[in-house]
Amino acid sequence: MALTFVYPADPFKPQTVDAHYRAEADALLARSPSVSVSTWDGQTLRPAPGVGSRLLYRGWMLSAPAYTQLYGHWASLGYMLKTSPEHYGLCHYVHRWYHSLQAWTPETDFIEADKDALEVVQATLSVRLQQGWSAGFLQDAVKRLKTAGGSRVDSAEEVARWFCELKHYQQAVEWPLCLRAWETWQEDTARRYFVYQEQLIPAPAYKAAEMPPLLEPLMDAVIQRIDSPFYALDVVQDLQGQWRLVTLQDGQLADAKGWEASAFVQDLLAVI
């Protein structure tokens, strides 16, 4: 079944795709697939897809409850998002995919929301430093948060500073917090891949070259263990030359870093 691609609207021009996604949407329209524009709340799609249409969303980050609500609303209109809420959560939250890919990504502890979360993170970091960590990296369940001093923490004071800055910037936190082992990675080795229905989509810069042999086991593990229909993954080499998984993202939200818009559309349509 053909897909209808859905993009968020420009807030001032509700029938126009938001500027961040406009080049990608234009490239799709040039190849004649169906494209609809969603109002900011997802209530209206223009033009309205036909009943029974399968949708592929490309837009702004949503919490799992917000995505579930959107999924249900569009289903009530007769549309079906390609990615279910379960699959969305699997790739959107570190704690959902981490245990399946633990060998390939920095060691991570998860701290649930509670009034003593600061003290729990401090105590956990102290234990980890005694066990050999050089430092930790703090983020929420989805992303790195905006803090002036950065996300690297190597003492109780640094953890307190991170929490203080979190409150200062008044950022919404998606729990649990993730305290990840700090790893040193080689410069200029980061890569982003998309995966659609278990088919790997490499960026043009390394599309023509053979996949590095040391990267193949990581990629095989991800594709075998992550059954979401559309997601992106970031990988990088450590100082020993081993490839490490930095993070997964739901493919509907991930920027096409490393692609021109037309090239990304061409590569994506080639596997759909």
Side-chain angles (χ1 to χ4, degrees):
M1 181 184 295
L3 286 171
T4 295
F5 289 78
V6 178
Y7 290 92
D10 185 307
F12 303 107
K13 302 175 182 177
Q15 298 190 31
T16 303
V17 174
D18 187 89
H20 185 79
Y21 295 98
R22 196 170 300 152
E24 185 177 309
D26 288 346
L28 277 164
L29 286 169
R31 291 164 172 79
S32 298
S34 178
V35 173
S36 290
V37 181
S38 170
T39 52
W40 68 271
D41 56 2
Q43 293 298 304
T44 304
L45 299 180
R46 300 187 181 93
V51 173
S53 294
R54 178 79 70 173
L55 308 182
L56 186 69
Y57 173 71
R58 288 284 291 160
W60 305 119
M61 185 180 296
L62 300 170
S63 67
Y67 185 84
T68 299
Q69 184 177 12
L70 184 69
Y71 185 94
H73 174 66
W74 286 350
S76 73
L77 299 177
Y79 315 139
M80 184 62 67
L81 271 163
K82 178 73 174 176
T83 299
S84 70
E86 293 76 17
H87 285 140
Y88 180 84
L90 172 63
C91 296
H92 190 56
Y93 295 110
V94 175
H95 61 288
R96 292 286 306 278
W97 58 259
Y98 170 77
H99 297 289
S100 296
L101 298 167
Q102 188 170 351
W104 305 99
T105 198
E107 193 169 15
T108 304
D109 293 309
F110 300 101
I111 294 87
E112 298 293 343
D114 208 329
K115 61 183 180 181
D116 65 348
L118 167 60
E119 290 77 13
V120 173
V121 174
Q122 289 175 322
T124 303
L125 177 63
S126 177
V127 171
R128 288 303 196 177
L129 292 174
Q130 293 175 39
Q131 292 175 343
W133 284 18
S134 62
F137 181 93
L138 262 176
Q139 63 169 84
D140 76 2
V142 176
K143 61 195 178 299
R144 175 180 177 175
L145 299 170
K146 182 180 180 183
T147 54
S151 296
R152 186 182 187 276
V153 291
D154 58 10
S155 66
E157 291 75 20
E158 277 293 287
V159 173
R161 182 269 307 163
W162 187 88
F163 271 80
C164 182
E165 291 178 357
L166 197 65
K167 292 180 180 179
H168 174 74
Y169 287 102
Q170 297 182 333
Q171 295 182 83
V173 176
E174 295 210 58
W175 296 84
L177 295 181
C178 304
L179 178 63
R180 314 198 73 191
W182 182 267
E183 294 185 357
T184 304
W185 295 326
Q186 294 185 40
E187 294 184 9
D188 303 321
T189 61
R191 297 184 175 196
R192 170 162 293 182
Y193 291 86
F194 281 82
V195 177
Y196 185 86
Q197 298 287 84
E198 300 185 354
Q199 298 181 81
L200 199 62
I201 308 174
Y206 36 91
K207 184 178 181 180
E210 291 187 9
M211 182 178 294
L214 292 177
L215 181 54
E216 289 181 7
L218 188 162
M219 288 299 188
D220 289 343
V222 172
I223 291 173
Q224 289 170 10
R225 300 173 192 181
I226 302 299
D227 66 352
S228 179
F230 184 42
Y231 58 94
L233 62 151
D234 293 336
V235 297
V236 69
Q237 275 186 301
D238 65 16
L239 296 182
Q240 289 72 46
Q242 297 297 316
W243 288 91
R244 304 291 286 160
L245 174 64
V246 179
T247 194
L248 293 183
Q249 287 182 269
D250 182 78
Q252 301 172 110
L253 314 180
D255 284 339
K257 294 192 299 186
W259 282 265
E260 295 290 339
S262 59
F264 177 70
V265 166
Q266 179 178 333
D267 288 348
L268 182 56
L269 292 179
V271 300
I272 289 178

